[in-house]
Amino acid sequence: MFRNPEVNKATPTRLDRLREKLSGGRSRKASLEPKPQPKIVALIPAHNEADVIATCLDSFFAQTMMPDLIVVIADNCTDNTADIARSYGSPVVVMETVDNKARKVGALSQGWVRYGQDAEFILGVDADSRLEPLCAEQLFTELSANASAGGIMARYTFDQTTASGFIQSYLLRQQRMEFTGWTLDLLRRDGETYVLGGQATLFRGEAMRQVAKENRREAPWSTQTQVEDMELTWRLSDLEWETLCSPDSRAYIGPMYSVKALWAQRRKWDAGIIHLLRINGFKKHTSEPWKLQAKMLLDATIRILFIVLLTLALQRGSWVWYWIWIIPPLFGMVLNYRVAMKMPDRTAKDVISAVLLLPGEIYLWFSIAIWLTSWFDVLFGIRRDGWSAQYRAEGKGSIE
């Protein structure tokens, strides 16, 4: 069933604590008994992804361990995404959605009902993701070794070589820096994550079925949120399943190449997260997202106050420079340098951009603007179709 039958070979990791945790794990009454050839079904939702679906599927055929079934869920496509996927043949199958109004969640749900609800493992992958050759095997090895884990995601980064022009290169480099810092923070907490990103995550089938049953859903994902991967992660945590980030597996995911596309994507994410936090309140698995909201508030407050106080001081002619003020920027340069040195496929430009601070500061102001706008929408009850806005911004049309 698999191209590599030696699925129990673990790859070396530098994170000994996490590897020890993955190899042991705490016992569960409902743990699955090990089977020699577990069934893995990959679900790939795709809306007008003709330009990237081949790259995604090529990476599957380069895996050291292939899923039993790779389902490309062509969702309201107006291009030839489905035709490209069909050309690959077995184990790829193409399923076209029927009357789907629920965007990515609806596509995943229809795919899960038809092909995945009896699977032992579900590998959720975005159509613009590219898996490294060992990715699926590493995810499977780590999840199989920990009976208490409901899902484990790959470490995400972006391919800088796909950018062209100054704006694309700048945006892509900042997204790489952002995701590197986020991943490092997860791994410092033994890999525990508050969101199993849908870009490349392996789920335990038992855990997915339990979420669907306990929440009285046709499928594990909720149609009531625009951050379905985070909501699913929290439901898994409610049921005492661990949710982890892999220390080893790697996936290159689809970045936003324009300011407009990045704005639309982050508006969808931020508004969805804020709305979800207001509904769920304070729990163990929502504490980290709440801390990030507090951090963003602090970042915004410090910068706004700095602009206000500097303006007033210049107007009054009372501005005086003190050398002690250079300490925070120097500290920031050191922290950025450390993150940049952990960035996969880093270049000298990545390190220089991190140390200069200004590129990152501009990106942070952009993020603050999105965050403030999202909070405004949520507080005043303004609901937007984030998926449709993102599709339009990326030039993929929309789903009416």
Side-chain angles (χ1 to χ4, degrees):
M1 298 178 76
F2 300 117
R3 294 197 171 185
N4 179 10
E6 300 181 41
V7 295
N8 291 320
K9 283 188 177 181
T11 55
T13 172
R14 292 169 294 178
L15 300 170
D16 295 331
R17 291 175 61 196
L18 180 55
R19 178 60 67 211
E20 180 180 355
K21 183 177 181 180
L22 289 169
S23 62
R26 65 174 185 266
S27 62
R28 291 179 61 92
K29 295 181 180 179
S31 61
L32 293 172
E33 293 187 4
K35 296 183 180 180
Q37 294 181 315
K39 180 182 178 184
I40 300 180
V41 173
L43 298 180
I44 309 175
H47 171 66
N48 290 343
E49 303 284 4
D51 57 332
V52 293
I53 190 63
T55 300
C56 178
L57 292 176
D58 285 345
S59 75
F60 269 95
F61 278 83
Q63 292 298 298
T64 56
M65 189 181 82
M66 283 276 283
D68 295 275
L69 192 63
I70 302 171
V71 184
V72 176
I73 310 167
D75 180 36
N76 295 299
C77 292
T78 56
D79 61 6
N80 62 337
T81 297
D83 294 334
I84 295 173
R86 287 192 183 96
S87 70
Y88 279 79
S90 181
V92 177
V93 298
V94 177
M95 170 189 166
E96 298 190 51
T97 56
V98 178
D99 298 326
N100 178 34
K101 303 296 183 183
R103 313 302 194 255
K104 182 181 177 180
V105 173
L108 283 169
S109 298
Q110 290 189 22
W112 188 79
V113 168
R114 183 168 177 180
Y115 291 103
Q117 60 182 325
D118 296 323
E120 293 183 44
F121 296 94
I122 296 291
L123 178 59
V125 177
D126 280 352
D128 56 1
S129 295
R130 172 171 62 85
L131 311 182
E132 283 199 341
L134 285 170
C135 183
E137 181 177 359
Q138 289 168 332
L139 289 175
F140 170 75
T141 300
E142 293 167 1
L143 186 58
S144 298
N146 189 348
S148 63
I152 185 166
M153 72 174 182
R155 298 176 67 174
Y156 301 145
T157 190
F158 306 90
D159 185 354
Q160 184 73 32
T161 63
T162 62
S164 62
F166 175 79
I167 296 297
Q168 285 192 11
S169 296
Y170 168 76
L171 292 176
L172 192 46
R173 181 167 287 112
Q174 295 306 313
Q175 291 173 75
R176 290 175 65 218
M177 187 76 174
E178 179 183 26
F179 269 65
T180 299
W182 176 63
T183 303
L184 290 174
D185 184 60
L186 294 180
L187 295 179
R188 279 193 292 267
R189 294 186 284 112
D190 290 340
E192 295 181 6
T193 178
Y194 54 88
V195 55
L196 293 169
Q199 295 94 332
T201 293
L202 184 66
F203 296 95
R204 192 181 300 277
E206 176 192 3
M208 298 284 273
R209 288 186 288 272
Q210 191 175 355
V211 168
K213 180 181 179 180
E214 292 294 328
N215 292 276
R216 299 180 181 180
R217 300 173 183 169
E218 184 181 42
W221 300 273
S222 171
T223 60
Q224 304 303 310
T225 178
Q226 298 190 100
V227 283
E228 74 292 332
D229 46 4
M230 182 173 290
E231 198 275 344
L232 172 58
T233 306
W234 294 2
R235 298 294 77 81
L236 288 168
S237 297
D238 286 340
L239 296 171
E240 298 186 356
W241 290 99
E242 291 185 7
T243 55
L244 304 172
C245 175
S246 169
D248 298 320
S249 63
R250 172 77 64 191
Y252 290 83
I253 64 177
M256 297 296 107
Y257 291 104
S258 69
V259 173
K260 182 179 179 181
L262 184 60
W263 178 277
Q265 181 197 59
R266 298 310 170 89
R267 280 288 304 278
K268 174 173 67 69
W269 285 2
D270 281 2
I273 292 170
I274 295 167
H275 185 261
L276 206 58
L277 284 171
R278 293 187 69 196
I279 293 174
N280 286 267
F282 293 90
K283 300 179 182 179
K284 179 180 179 181
H285 47 272
T286 65
S287 61
E288 192 62 27
W290 276 115
K291 288 179 184 177
L292 294 177
Q293 295 297 309
K295 179 181 179 299
M296 187 62 81
L297 176 62
L298 180 62
D299 286 339
T301 302
I302 289 174
R303 282 155 178 81
I304 292 173
L305 286 177
F306 173 78
I307 295 297
V308 172
L309 293 175
L310 179 61
T311 301
L312 291 175
L314 291 173
Q315 287 179 343
R316 293 166 58 90
S318 58
W319 184 80
V320 179
W321 168 258
Y322 295 98
W323 281 104
I324 195 173
W325 292 345
I326 203 172
I327 294 178
L330 289 176
F331 187 65
M333 291 171 65
V334 172
L335 291 179
N336 284 356
Y337 174 79
R338 292 181 62 185
V339 173
M341 293 305 293
K342 297 288 186 179
M343 186 185 298
D345 309 320
R346 71 177 180 275
T347 64
K349 290 183 178 180
D350 294 324
V351 178
I352 294 172
S353 175
V355 173
L356 287 178
L357 284 184
L358 183 59
E361 186 66 20
I362 295 172
Y363 187 79
L364 180 56
W365 273 101
F366 178 75
S367 300
I368 289 173
I370 297 172
W371 180 78
L372 289 173
T373 305
S374 300
W375 263 106
F376 178 87
D377 286 351
V378 173
L379 290 177
F380 287 90
I382 302 173
R383 299 298 297 268
R384 303 178 186 275
D385 187 344
W387 277 111
S388 186
Q390 183 177 332
Y391 288 151
R392 288 194 299 270
E394 292 184 77
K396 296 178 181 178
S398 61
I399 303 175
E400 302 301 334

